[in-house]
């Protein structure tokens, strides 16, 4: 099982908007696209002086074709729209993983 984790590190001034956007636009589109077990989580920041808040979206699938399709279409489009709207107040990054258990 493949796990795709996209984290959106946001300036506190837009963090609540980013969190809502992740829960709705990004996660909903991932479900429609065919990913399973789509989870949106707040990243716990152990650094008390941190100047950012992060939200992570994890989604699972069984083959890489879906991942390729996602990042050739909706996934890239959504991240681009997020960057256009929030500029340097958000830093999205994606990690590809294989579920071990």
């Amino acid at each position: 099982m493949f796990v795709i984790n996209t984290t959106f590190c946001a300036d506190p001034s837009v963090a609540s908007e980013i969190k809502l956007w992740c829960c709705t636009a990004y996660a909903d589109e991932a479900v429609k696209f065919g990913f399973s077990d789509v989870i949106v989580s707040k990243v716990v920041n152990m650094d008390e002086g941190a100047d950012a808040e992060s939200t992570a979206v994890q989604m699972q699938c069984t083959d890489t074709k879906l991942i390729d399709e996602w990042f050739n279409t909706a996934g890239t489009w959504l991240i681009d729209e997020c960057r256009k709207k929030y500029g340097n107040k958000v830093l999205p990054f994606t990690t590809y993983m294989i579920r071990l258990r």
Side-chain angles (χ1 to χ4, degrees):
M1 181 70 72
F2 295 95
V3 179
I4 308 304
N5 180 89
T6 302
T7 300
F8 297 84
C9 185
D11 182 275
S13 67
V14 298
S16 62
E17 290 177 53
I18 295 292
K19 192 182 319 175
L20 178 61
W21 179 83
C22 286
C23 287
T24 55
Y26 198 83
D28 289 350
E29 191 63 31
V31 170
K32 286 182 208 170
F33 212 81
F35 286 97
S36 62
D37 298 322
V38 177
I39 300 169
V40 181
S41 305
K42 178 180 178 179
V43 177
V44 177
N45 193 342
M46 301 304 283
D47 180 5
E48 292 180 24
D51 250 2
E53 295 178 33
S54 297
T55 302
V57 182
Q58 290 187 335
M59 45 206 203
Q60 298 183 32
C61 65
T62 57
D63 83 58
T64 58
K65 289 179 186 176
L66 185 64
I67 298 167
D68 290 341
E69 288 177 33
W70 172 256
F71 284 110
N72 285 325
T73 59
T76 297
W77 177 81
L78 284 163
I79 289 173
D80 288 348
E81 288 299 307
C82 181
R83 284 182 174 147
K84 284 178 192 172
K85 183 172 183 177
Y86 297 105
N88 65 357
K89 292 188 176 193
V90 64
L91 174 64
F93 59 93
T94 300
T95 307
Y96 302 85
M97 301 176 279
I98 294 176
R99 185 174 172 174
L100 299 177
R101 182 174 169 202

